[in-house]
């Protein structure tokens, strides 16, 4: 059982020092969770630490791909409002640098 | 530059703290702290540290050594540089290792510079004594309310003692820590500025009382800054239609504040990575990117549109502008490639 960091991560680095198993690493400019090392914090903490400090909805997902912090759960912005904003501001509008 | 002797002498040369000094003395804000431990409804973490728009690419936040190199370069260009601030893009104290390394490097290399930082205050009780040891002279604490029911409408959660806390529980812990931190700093002689974001209908009628309490506890300055809530920022306030105050509303709240803390009226809501004199930003000269349109929310934290960029890459310039005598010294690091922040490079 392990969690994973999804593409919505903004690489704020908040989760990395909180992991009790040093399971979060930087790889190729992204933060990734090592599925071998991640225990979902079982035995160390009541809550998974990465998902408890992460400020970005849907950034951390469980083994089934379900976000631990679903849309609306952290900012209070309703999912429909967030999705409309994302569609207007983040699709194609701002491009990747090489 | 003369050695600073007293806090008042130092404050008189701090452009953010002294109404006159901002015309004469320069300041530099360093973005070395990407992580944060709370959520503010006027902040979109997505843009506060993302240098590039591609999701998940490491934001080019300065490493402590890069920060030192940047200070050296800016000092050459602006000999009147008096202040180096650690501001964002997250919370300075949520990144204690980076903060401490950065402050120590700068203090050792440039003992005459003032170090200041901005924080939401959650980690202040744990870190305040260490900050004083590091020679931090000025601290800005953002306190938006002292009533948990008001605070909870501005800060939906905090990360505290290994759990995400929400609502009134979170608000109470945050307020307790902010006030305890303020007390520790004041007792140790640090000049404390309180920032409060004025949010109409949320904390506007509460701020005069807050002003009185923080004045009584020894805060030097109270900076009431208007909420910036353009919907394009993607913040809770922006997307939920919370309007910012009009200039006359800001003036009215400031007038209603009667505490001894000096009201700050010259704040330009400068960007967290700003360089130079207040009102005359030379950021572009130290960046290889175009100056972005982001604005600081007045707390040293950014509320920015999606075109946000930060300043890490100016280290190419830093290497080129260093005087020969400053190498090998601690600035030799400036000659290397700019690196993205990673704990191993601290
Ligand atoms: S769930 Fe716990 S063990 Fe797994 S990556 Fe997150 S913090 Fe580390
Ligand atoms: S805390 Fe969340 S957004 Fe920040 S680096 Fe970790 S996964 Fe990414
Ligand atoms: S404004 Fe600052 S303290 Fe508030 S959530 Fe953003 S980074 Fe954190």
């Amino acid at each position: 059982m392990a969690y994973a960091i999804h593409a919505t991560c903004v690489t704020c680095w908040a989760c990395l020092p909180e992991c009790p198993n040093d399971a979060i690493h930087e790889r190729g400019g992204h933060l990734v969770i090592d599925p071998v090392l991640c225990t979902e914090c079982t035995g160390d903490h009541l809550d998974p630490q990465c998902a408890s400090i992460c400020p970005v909805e849907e950034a951390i997902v469980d083994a089934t791909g379900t976000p631990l912090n679903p849309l609306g759960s952290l900012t209070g912005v309703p999912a429909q409002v967030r999705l409309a904003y994302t569609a207007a501001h983040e699709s194609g509008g701002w491009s990747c640098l090489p | 530059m003369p050695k600073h002797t007293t806090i008042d002498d130092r404050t008189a040369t701090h452009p953010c703290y002294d109404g006159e000094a901002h015309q004469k003395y320069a300041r530099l804000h360093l973005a070395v702290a990407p992580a944060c431990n709370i959520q503010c409804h006027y902040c979109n973490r997505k843009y506060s540290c993302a240098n590039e728009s591609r999701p998940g690419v490491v934001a080019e936040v300065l490493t402590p050594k890069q920060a030192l190199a940047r200070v050296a370069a800016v000092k050459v260009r602006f000999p009147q540089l008096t202040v180096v601030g650690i501001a964002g893009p997250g919370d300075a104290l949520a990144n204690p290792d980076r903060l401490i390394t950065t402050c120590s490097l700068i203090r050792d290399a440039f003992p005459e510079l003032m170090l200041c930082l901005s924080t939401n205050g959650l980690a202040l009780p744990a870190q305040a004594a260490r900050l004083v040891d590091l020679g931090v002279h000025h601290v800005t604490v953002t306190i938006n309310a002292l009533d948990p029911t008001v605070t909870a409408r501005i800060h939906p959660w905090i990360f505290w003692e290994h759990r995400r806390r929400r609502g009134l529980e979170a608000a109470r812990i945050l307020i307790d820590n902010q006030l305890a931190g303020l007390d520790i700093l004041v007792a140790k002689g640090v000049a404390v500025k309180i920032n409060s974001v004025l949010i109409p209908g949320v904390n506007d009628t509460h701020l005069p009382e807050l002003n009185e309490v923080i004045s009584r506890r020894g805060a030097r300055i109270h900076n009431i800054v208007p909420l910036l809530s353009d919907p394009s920022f993607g913040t809770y306030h922006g997307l939920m239609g919370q309007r910012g105050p009009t200039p006359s509303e800001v003036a009215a709240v400031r007038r209603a504040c009667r505490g001894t803390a000096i009201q700050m009226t010259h704040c330009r809501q400068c960007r967290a990575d700003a360089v130079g004199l207040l009102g005359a930003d030379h950021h572009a000269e130290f960046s290889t990117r175009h100056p972005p349109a982001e604005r600081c929310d007045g707390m040293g934290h950014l509320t920015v549109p999606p075109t946000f960029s930060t300043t890490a890459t100016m280290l190419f310039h830093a290497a080129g502008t260093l005087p020969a005598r400053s190498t090998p010294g601690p600035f030799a690091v400036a000659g290397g490639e700019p690196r993205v922040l990673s704990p191993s490079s601290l």
Side-chain angles (χ1 to χ4, degrees):
Chain A
M1 292 216 305
Y3 294 150
I5 295 177
H6 187 255
T8 54
C9 165
V10 298
T11 324
C12 74
W13 296 88
C15 53
L16 188 141
E18 302 299 330
C19 177
N21 298 309
D22 290 330
I24 305 175
H25 303 125
E26 183 208 333
R27 202 160 299 149
H30 297 260
L31 292 193
V32 294
I33 295 176
D34 184 331
V36 177
L37 294 178
C38 173
T39 59
E40 301 187 357
C41 287
T42 312
D44 287 302
H45 297 288
L46 290 170
D47 304 323
Q49 294 302 286
C50 54
S52 297
I53 195 169
C54 179
V56 178
E57 293 160 352
E58 299 190 313
I60 296 180
V61 298
D62 68 13
T64 71
T66 307
L68 278 101
N69 299 304
L71 273 188
S73 66
L74 298 183
T75 59
V77 176
Q80 319 86 280
V81 177
R82 173 66 62 196
L83 289 171
Y85 171 80
T86 306
H89 286 264
E90 296 174 16
S91 62
W94 31 309
S95 62
C96 300
L97 292 168
Chain B
M1 183 170 307
K3 270 267 176 218
H4 302 299
T5 47
T6 69
I7 289 263
D8 283 320
D9 288 348
R10 294 193 301 247
T11 300
T13 56
H14 189 307
C16 300
Y17 284 74
D18 185 276
E20 304 293 319
H22 76 268
Q23 291 154 8
K24 299 191 290 264
Y25 299 95
R27 55 86 178 86
L28 164 65
H29 286 176
L30 296 171
V32 296
C36 188
N37 47 14
I38 75 171
Q39 178 69 54
C40 306
H41 268 332
Y42 43 79
C43 178
N44 184 349
R45 299 303 313 285
K46 179 146 199 162
Y47 305 135
S48 56
C49 65
N51 191 19
E52 297 178 348
S53 51
R54 193 167 21 161
V57 171
V58 173
E60 288 179 318
V61 177
L62 297 176
T63 65
K65 285 178 180 174
Q66 288 173 330
L68 174 64
R70 178 138 199 256
V71 172
V74 172
K75 192 98 172 81
V76 171
R77 173 72 174 75
F78 296 99
Q80 69 272 50
L81 180 72
T82 52
V83 178
V84 173
I86 314 292
D91 185 74
L93 302 185
N95 301 262
D97 293 345
R98 285 171 209 128
L99 173 81
I100 280 153
T101 311
T102 304
C103 290
S104 313
L105 287 173
I106 295 171
R107 186 199 48 191
D108 292 348
F110 298 101
E112 77 279 12
L113 288 178
M114 280 181 273
L115 295 173
C116 70
L117 61 85
S118 307
T119 175
N120 59 44
L122 180 64
L124 254 187
Q127 303 290 343
R130 210 146 49 135
L131 297 180
V132 177
D133 291 345
L134 286 166
V136 171
H137 300 132
H138 296 78
V139 175
T140 298
V141 189
T142 296
I143 308 182
N144 294 318
L146 297 176
D147 175 344
T149 63
V150 180
T151 300
R153 294 174 64 195
I154 304 170
H155 304 285
W157 57 262
I158 66 173
F159 180 75
W160 177 248
E161 292 184 343
H162 299 293
R163 306 200 83 171
R164 197 192 305 271
R165 326 257 168 174
R166 298 171 186 268
L168 290 180
E169 182 200 13
R172 284 196 192 94
I173 295 168
L174 180 60
I175 295 166
D176 285 351
N177 284 15
Q178 288 168 330
L179 290 178
L182 168 62
D183 290 348
I184 295 170
L185 292 173
V186 168
K188 289 189 173 285
V190 174
V192 182
K193 167 159 71 77
I194 304 297
N195 276 5
S196 300
V197 181
L198 171 53
I199 308 167
V202 176
N203 67 349
D204 46 355
T205 56
H206 174 66
L207 285 182
E209 181 191 338
L210 182 149
N211 173 271
E212 201 265 314
V213 173
I214 58 109
S215 294
R216 194 156 24 83
R217 287 178 177 247
R220 196 69 72 85
I221 295 172
H222 193 193
N223 183 21
I224 295 172
V225 295
L227 172 72
L228 302 175
S229 60
D230 190 290
S232 71
F233 297 164
T235 62
Y236 174 89
H237 281 148
L239 294 177
M240 302 304 281
Q242 170 66 53
R243 70 171 180 90
T246 64
S248 63
E249 285 174 318
V250 177
V253 171
R254 285 179 176 158
R255 268 198 310 275
C257 291
R258 299 289 171 79
T260 52
I262 298 159
Q263 297 267 328
M264 188 159 156
T265 53
H266 60 279
C267 176
R268 299 284 193 279
Q269 295 187 295
C270 57
R271 303 202 307 263
D273 52 2
V275 176
L277 305 172
L278 286 184
D281 203 324
H282 298 267
H283 166 275
E285 294 174 35
F286 291 89
S287 174
T288 56
R289 298 177 195 278
H290 290 297
E294 80 272 26
R295 294 183 69 196
C296 170
D297 58 15
M299 315 163 36
H301 296 139
L302 300 177
T303 303
V304 296
T307 51
F308 178 67
S309 73
T310 59
T311 55
T313 44
M314 85 283 125
L315 281 166
F316 288 118
H317 297 267
T321 53
L322 284 174
R325 60 160 184 78
S326 68
T327 51
F331 316 126
V333 295
E337 289 283 297
R339 290 161 303 155
V340 292
L341 179 73
S342 76
S344 56
S345 59
L346 282 174

